[in-house]
Each structure stands twice: as structure tokens, then as C-alpha cells.
Amino acid sequence: MATEEVIDSGEKRLNELGYKQELRREMTLFKTLAISFSTMTLFTGITPLFGSSLLYAGPASLVWGWVVVTFFTWFVGIAMAEICSSFPTTGSLYFWAAHLAGPKWGPFASWCCAWLESIGLIFGIGTQAYAGTQTLQSIILLCTGTNKGGGYFTPRGVFLAIYIGLTLIWAFLNTFALEVIAFLDLISLYWQVIGGTVIVIMLPLVAKTTQSASFVFTHFEMGSDSTGISSKAYAVILSFLVSQYSLYGYDAAAHLTEETKGADKNGPIAILSSIGIISVFGWAYILALTFSIQNFSYLYDPSNETAGANAVAQILYDAFHGRYHNSAGAIVLLFIIWGSFFFGGLSITTSAARVVYALSRDKGVPFSSIWRKIHPKHKVPSNAVWLCAGICILIGIPLLKVNEIFTAITSVCTIGWVGGYAVPIFARMVMSEKNFNPGPFYLGKFSRPICLVAFLWICYTCSVFLLPTIYPITWSSFNYAPVALGVCLGLIMLWWILDARKWFKGPVRNIDNLNGKVFKAGFNMKI
């Protein structure tokens, strides 16, 4: 007598939602957590924006800003974990939006969410490539003698070449080495936890002097001379940007749910665990850096050892050079930080390709038939990977001329990525409870208030990333994010009004029945 094959709970739920299993389901909870944590990463959000955020209003605003942002991030993460448990599909956010918004508004909600998420993730690859290149720039400078000792500071052309090189490496690995990626993401978890622990403990111990607790936790200092901002409230708002930029990306676990065992349970666990780990380690990293500052104003001096280009690199250099009279220790720690950017870019490329693949599968991208193809041997959405890499390279080309390009890239990334969270969360908040089919992780009566707080926080976050960051506003200091985002979203909405609304219906099922049973989605509708 034949034994009945046991179907994975995540695959069973996927079938119930109208999709057949196409991707290889081999990732465990630990591997999924590793990829999710790698996408958030310990260093990649804090390191590039630490210096500017510290300059706006001093250490106290920066340190306590992390606590405030972490508090509200938990609301967003918990709301998303509940939805992920109910909809464990690789389309994740835009699939959630379509089904939670119902038959009438589902296609439009799905369209908005999918494109916001795609924009955020693709620009997210750019943020990792840029900040990773900037860190490598500091490593090269210190290795060749520092800015004061005639060291090599990479010019714009070389900087762009490194940026492109990182993007191509991530695309290559995502095309031909899924097993290697899973292994590297596993290493990434240990790399960041162990490396982060080493930096957090070692840096204050190595520094010859450390700042007082009153300086770190209570000192408020405006950087009006450098930023041109005289309003204290405005300076505090901008000092929070480093935390708001760092604390997202936990939805990466949701993008991999079609490849994760028991995804209806393990997806939510990975989301919440990632937030918990990064909350603790991120604050510890900020405290270690702030306590170890030797000379506040010298961090931004263009004639200092790191050419005033990287405040974190200067803090590390001051600590090790002050103690050991060489920069070897600073270089080692910078390499640990650079590794975090490398792993983060690799994971974000994985997530971006999955979203583009899922949207192409539902015919929501021009030339969808190309981007939804799966590599016949490696079973990965290879064409979608290279599309994301190509766009990332294109948005990096202005590096040759524009000074504030990183501000624009990080702003568009954050608004698109976090803005994508808002659509399904809002739909979950306003839908009738009887139409929601909960998974193992269910909030019950607490769902609506949690979703409300999460939605309002996301709206605030998206708003502040559109603000000017330096005054007076000139062509070189202008935050181009509103222009870039406005053009992208304007074209997408125009496409919807003129054409897409006539044929785009949101997620398209690729199975109609199994064993004679018609499968319904997560809300009651006619199919």
C-alpha cells in the first residue's frame, strides 16, 4: 500500500492560495533568518548615516532616536508577521495587498504595493553598493598611508567602477549559486553577530579616552554651521534618519516563503527575530561609536586622516592610532563592516529579484515573459536578477557628477521599501475581520490598533525622507528623492490609468484545482 506523501504546511497553504510549488523549498528557519538579518544588517544602515545624523543635533538625539524608532518598528513588524503567516508566497507584500483589499480594490492596491516594493528593493541594492564602496574607499586610503600621508583616495570614476563591480558580483552569485548564497547568508549571521560583538566590546576598550555618559545620553549640539539648519525640532527629526533607514528589510523572510520549509510559521518567526537582533546590536553599535569619539569636530575635517568622508572610519582610526600608533586595527574592523555591506547587497539582490519575478509572473512588468523565466538548471529567476542589477547600475551613473546622490538613493529606497509595507497593513486594518483567514500567528482583537500605529509611523517615515537635509538648498545639496520618486510613481500611475487597470488583476493563480477542489484566496470572493 502506497504511503501518502506529506506536504509541507507552507506548500499546502500556497496551493490553497492558488499557486503551485515551482521554486525549490529547501531553506530552514535558520537560513531564512540569516537572509532576513543579512538584509537588515548590523552595520549597513548605521555606518553611512552615522556621521550626518550625529552632526544634526549631537549624540543624545542620535542615541535615543534609535530607541524611539525601534519601538514603532515593532508595531510594523508584528503587523507584517500576522499577514505573512496567512499568505506565505514569494510575491509577499503585493500579494498580501491584493487579497486583503478585496476584489474591488485589490488590483490597484496590488499594483501600488508591487511597484513601491520593487523600487525600494532595487534602490536598496544601490545603497549597499554605494556604502560598501565608500567603506572600501576608506580601507584603501588607510592602507596606502591615510589622507595626511599621501594615501590613495579613489576618484569618482574608480568609485563608480567599484560600485558596478559589487552589483555584478551579487547578480552573478544570485544567478549561478543559490546554495552558495544560502551558505554565505549563514556566514553573514555569524559574521555580523561575532564581528559586531568584537567591535562593540573592543572599540571603547582600545580608545585612549571615552566620552562620559552625560555626553552620550544627554548632550545636545546643533551643527548649524555645517548643515545650515537652525531649528532644533527639525535637526532632531533629521538625526532620527539613521535609525529609520536602518530598521527595515525584515520582510526579506517573506520574499523567500515559497522556498522555506513551514513558511506559515517560520516566516513570522524570522521577521520578528530579525527585528529583535538588530534592535539590540544596532543600539550597542551606536553606543560603542559614540563613547569612542575622541574629537567631535575633527570627525568632519576634510584634512583629517579619512578626508572627512567617513565619520565611522575616523572614529576607528583615532581609537587604534591613539593607542597603537598605526591604523591596522581600524582597517580590520572596517573590513568587518565592509563584509556586512557585501552580505547585505547579496541578500537584497535576492529579495529584489523575487519581487520582480513574482510581479512578472502576474504580468505586471513590461516584457513580463522575459523576467518571469526560471533558469532551467539552477531554478532561480535569473532574468529578473539581471534586470535589477542593470537598473541599479543605471541609477549609480550620476555618481560621476552629483554630490548628494547617496541621499537620493537612500531616500527613494526607504520610501519605496517602507511605503510598500503600508499598503497591506492599511488593507488589513480596514477589512472585515470575517474575511481574514488567519495563519498560525494571529493577533485577534489587537490587530487593528497595531496596524493603525504601524501605518501612521510608516507615513511619517516616508514624509521625513523627502525633506531637504542641508541648507541653503542649491543644485549640489538638493535632495533629489522627491523628483526621482515623483517621476517613477507618476509614470506608474499614468500607466495604470491609461492601460494597466484594464487588464491587471493582481496575483494570477497558476493552479485552479487540486484533486478536484477549487482553491480560494485569503478572503471570501468569487473565483
Side-chain angles (χ1 to χ4, degrees):
M1 180 176 165
T3 2
E4 187 180 348
E5 185 182 353
V6 178
I7 299 180
D8 178 90
S9 62
E11 182 177 345
K12 182 181 177 183
R13 180 62 181 144
L14 184 68
N15 292 341
E16 290 172 355
L17 293 167
Y19 283 90
K20 63 182 177 182
Q21 184 71 41
E22 290 185 309
L23 300 175
R24 190 181 300 170
R25 190 178 290 272
E26 62 178 18
M27 292 194 177
T28 62
L29 169 61
F30 193 73
K31 288 181 180 178
T32 304
L33 172 60
I35 290 179
S36 185
F37 181 71
S38 297
T39 303
M40 295 184 74
T41 63
L42 176 59
F43 306 111
T44 59
I46 297 170
T47 303
L49 294 185
F50 178 86
S52 59
S53 295
L54 181 67
L55 185 61
Y56 287 123
S61 182
L62 172 63
V63 167
W64 291 114
W66 183 270
V67 177
V68 172
V69 174
T70 296
F71 174 77
F72 288 105
T73 298
W74 275 107
F75 285 89
V76 181
I78 291 169
M80 289 178 61
E82 180 192 44
I83 301 171
C84 178
S85 183
S86 179
F87 301 105
T89 72
T90 200
S92 59
L93 303 183
Y94 96 97
F95 184 98
W96 302 349
H99 287 261
L100 293 169
K104 182 179 180 181
W105 293 102
F108 181 65
S110 177
W111 179 265
C112 295
C113 185
W115 279 106
L116 279 170
E117 190 178 11
S118 299
I119 291 168
L121 283 165
I122 293 171
F123 273 75
I125 302 171
T127 63
Q128 301 301 300
Y130 182 98
T133 303
Q134 186 183 54
T135 303
L136 192 58
Q137 181 184 56
S138 298
I139 292 173
I140 294 170
L141 181 59
L142 293 182
C143 285
T144 54
T146 77
N147 183 48
K148 286 187 171 181
Y152 180 72
F153 188 78
T154 54
R156 289 177 185 264
V158 177
F159 193 101
L160 178 60
I162 298 172
Y163 172 98
I164 293 172
L166 284 172
T167 306
L168 293 177
I169 290 170
W170 294 331
F172 180 86
L173 289 173
N174 268 281
T175 302
F176 303 108
L178 184 62
E179 292 83 3
V180 174
I181 289 175
F183 176 69
L184 288 177
D185 283 320
L186 195 60
I187 292 176
S188 172
L189 184 62
Y190 291 110
W191 180 281
Q192 292 182 83
V193 170
I194 296 172
T197 303
V198 168
I199 292 177
V200 166
I201 294 173
M202 180 181 288
L203 185 57
L205 291 176
V206 168
K208 288 193 77 173
T209 60
T210 54
Q211 298 291 339
S212 65
S214 62
F215 173 83
V216 173
F217 294 108
T218 65
H219 184 68
F220 183 90
E221 181 177 339
M222 294 284 290
S224 304
D225 293 341
S226 302
T227 64
I229 295 169
S230 55
S231 165
K232 291 183 178 179
Y234 192 42
V236 169
I237 287 172
L238 293 181
S239 72
F240 280 25
L241 291 181
V242 62
S243 304
Q244 290 167 289
Y245 169 62
S246 303
L247 287 163
Y248 64 87
Y250 35 87
D251 60 305
H255 302 309
L256 296 168
T257 47
E258 286 188 34
E259 300 165 73
T260 303
K261 299 173 183 176
D264 53 340
K265 302 179 187 71
N266 290 335
I269 293 172
I271 289 173
L272 299 178
S273 299
S274 298
I275 296 174
I277 295 170
I278 202 71
S279 297
V280 174
F281 273 90
W283 201 47
Y285 180 47
I286 287 175
L287 290 175
L289 290 172
T290 311
F291 271 109
S292 303
I293 294 172
Q294 302 300 296
N295 186 331
F296 185 86
S297 58
Y298 187 63
L299 295 178
Y300 308 97
D301 188 340
S303 66
N304 68 17
E305 288 78 7
T306 56
N310 192 328
V312 171
Q314 189 62 41
I315 291 172
L316 296 176
Y317 175 85
D318 288 342
F320 281 91
H321 190 270
R323 174 76 64 180
Y324 302 111
H325 307 293
N326 64 65
S327 55
I331 292 169
V332 171
L333 295 193
L334 280 172
F335 181 73
I336 292 174
I337 293 171
W338 179 84
S340 183
F341 287 112
F342 182 84
F343 293 130
L346 187 65
S347 294
I348 293 175
T349 303
T350 304
S351 293
R354 266 53 179 186
V355 172
V356 171
Y357 157 74
L359 184 56
S360 300
R361 184 172 64 179
D362 297 330
K363 303 177 182 178
V365 179
F367 309 107
S368 292
S369 59
I370 298 174
W371 316 123
R372 68 170 177 254
K373 285 184 178 177
I374 299 291
H375 193 285
K377 179 180 178 183
H378 301 288
K379 301 298 180 184
V380 295
S382 52
N383 289 358
V385 168
W386 288 98
L387 175 64
C388 295
I391 296 172
C392 177
I393 289 170
L394 287 176
I395 64 177
I397 291 175
L399 286 168
L400 293 171
K401 294 290 182 183
V402 181
N403 292 330
E404 295 300 315
I405 187 66
F406 184 62
T407 302
I409 293 176
T410 54
S411 297
V412 174
C413 165
T414 307
I415 293 168
W417 203 331
V418 179
Y421 297 174
V423 182
I425 288 175
F426 179 78
R428 171 71 182 101
M429 181 176 65
V430 300
M431 76 179 297
S432 171
E433 192 65 24
K434 66 182 180 182
N435 290 334
F436 182 69
N437 185 5
F441 184 86
Y442 180 50
L443 298 173
K445 63 181 181 181
F446 297 104
S447 180
R448 276 192 170 78
I450 287 174
C451 286
L452 176 61
V453 175
F455 177 74
L456 293 176
W457 175 251
I458 291 170
C459 291
Y460 166 75
T461 298
C462 292
S463 301
V464 296
F465 272 95
L466 294 173
L467 298 173
T469 55
I470 296 177
Y471 284 89
I473 300 174
T474 64
W475 287 110
S476 62
S477 65
F478 181 65
N479 180 4
Y480 288 90
V483 177
L485 198 65
V487 170
C488 290
L489 294 182
L491 290 173
I492 290 164
M493 288 300 105
L494 185 63
W495 184 17
W496 172 261
I497 293 168
L498 297 179
D499 182 45
R501 65 186 175 86
K502 300 172 186 176
W503 51 263
F504 183 77
K505 303 302 179 187
V508 178
R509 295 170 181 79
N510 56 18
I511 57 175
D512 295 318
N513 61 75
L514 186 64
N515 297 329
K517 178 181 176 181
V518 176
F519 290 95
K520 295 186 178 182
F523 57 88
N524 298 327
M525 61 176 286
K526 293 179 181 178
I527 56 175

